[in-house]
Every structure is written in C-alpha cells, then in structure tokens.
Amino acid sequence: MTFYPGLSHIYPTGIHFNNSNNTTQTIPYKTYANHGITFKYPADWKPIRDLHSPSRWGYPPDPIVAFYDLSGNHTEADISTYFYVKQLNFKSLDEQLSRYRHDIANIGQTEVSERNITVNGMRAVEVIKTWYADGIQYQALTVHIEAVPGSKYYRIGCVTPLSRYNETLPKFQLVVNTFKLLKS
C-alpha cells in the first residue's frame, strides 16, 4: 500500500445507487478529508500525484486534489477517466460560471446541458460538456459549488470518454453528492 501525504482515509465501505435498470449498484468507497473539504470516492481509484498538468486541468488554478480510475488507465501519464477538485477565487457563482463558459468556448468544447442543483445544502450548478481529443469524444460533468457565498467556491470536474460516461456516472455522483466543507 502506498501512502500519499495529505490524504486521510477511513476503511472502505459501500454506497448504493439505483441505476436506470432499477438494480442497485454498490460502490466501495474511501473518504478524503483535507484542504477544508471532505467527500467519498471509489475505493479502487488512485490519487493523481502531478497536480501541475495544465493540459489536463484547463485553465489555472491547479486542483487541490484529483483521483483517477485504474481500469483502462495503466499509468498516471495516460489517464482517461478522472475527477479533480479546484478551489476558485471568485466573488459569486455567476462570475465563476461566466468565466467557465468563456474558457470552454475558447478551447473548442461544447456545453451540452446546465442545471441548478444543491450539494449538501450548498447552491451549485451542474454543467455537462463534450469535446474531442486524440480521436476520442470525451464528456465531462462539472459541478460549480458556492460553498460560502461571496468567498469560497469549488469546481468538481469529472472526465471520461463518452463511451464510458453512463457506467462511470454513479462514481462521479458519489464524489459530488458527498462533497462537504470540513467543520473548523
């Protein structure tokens, strides 16, 4: 077992999700708790150690944490399914979303949908986007969270090839739906 500094985990357990076939899927998970945030993530996903990889994350800042799916990803340098969490410096959720829309248009990505959601009592907006890279169509679920209105904002970016999106979505939803601020 490899130890990654700054990662605090509890023993894996499972969380249940109903999929579109009305069957229940259990996702074994671990809990991340650091940098003032906590969330659950799939137990078999590994932390990305190189958090300074601009081509992977888009525009700065770098994420505060990121994990990738080992299945189909043999090395950290060749990751196709992953999620990251960025802490962003904005004055409002509208400002954060406006900048994000501008950035994705600048790099040739297409917004597919957008909806208002709530993440553990925090106002949030879910944006789904697509793009092509190296002949593969990717789809990303990004959730923009207003953790503390006027001062603390986060973005959770969940990326996978479009062909794997539906099977990976419950794992991404595990991260998003369990995201919380740590109590100080």
Side-chain angles (χ1 to χ4, degrees):
M1 179 174 190
T2 306
F3 176 74
Y4 296 96
L7 298 180
S8 305
H9 299 111
I10 61 171
Y11 289 100
T13 184
I15 194 159
H16 305 283
F17 285 93
N18 291 324
N19 67 19
S20 58
N21 299 329
N22 275 341
T23 58
T24 301
Q25 176 182 7
T26 300
I27 301 172
Y29 68 84
K30 292 182 181 176
T31 299
Y32 173 87
N34 200 356
H35 294 99
I37 59 172
T38 185
F39 56 84
K40 293 174 176 50
Y41 65 93
D44 59 346
W45 287 35
K46 298 294 178 208
I48 296 175
R49 288 174 283 182
D50 180 6
L51 293 178
H52 185 63
S53 180
S55 62
R56 185 180 292 147
W57 316 123
Y59 291 95
D62 290 338
I64 55 177
V65 64
F67 288 83
Y68 71 100
D69 183 1
L70 284 171
S71 60
N73 297 300
H74 302 292
T75 68
E76 188 175 305
D78 187 31
I79 296 170
S80 63
T81 299
Y82 60 93
F83 74 87
Y84 64 84
V85 178
K86 288 185 175 187
Q87 184 172 350
L88 303 168
N89 188 17
F90 290 106
K91 292 182 175 51
S92 72
L93 189 57
D94 290 338
E95 180 187 352
Q96 177 181 344
L97 287 164
S98 175
R99 175 62 184 267
Y100 185 71
R101 287 186 200 103
H102 177 266
D103 290 349
I104 66 173
N106 264 1
I107 57 176
Q109 297 179 344
T110 303
E111 185 175 322
V112 175
S113 67
E114 182 175 310
R115 68 185 181 119
N116 294 321
I117 62 172
T118 302
V119 175
N120 285 311
M122 297 174 285
R123 186 173 150 228
V125 175
E126 174 192 275
V127 176
I128 297 176
K129 65 181 184 174
T130 63
W131 70 95
Y132 285 90
D134 301 322
I136 298 171
Q137 185 173 14
Y138 286 86
Q139 185 156 307
L141 167 74
T142 59
V143 178
H144 306 262
I145 301 170
E146 182 177 60
V148 178
S151 68
K152 197 170 277 198
Y153 296 86
Y154 293 90
R155 179 170 72 229
I156 302 172
C158 306
V159 177
T160 194
L162 180 60
S163 62
R164 293 192 61 206
Y165 187 80
N166 288 336
E167 77 183 64
T168 309
L169 184 58
K171 294 175 181 181
F172 291 155
Q173 290 171 327
L174 167 69
V175 175
V176 171
N177 293 337
T178 61
F179 181 88
K180 295 185 233 181
L181 296 180
L182 285 172
K183 295 192 176 14
S184 350

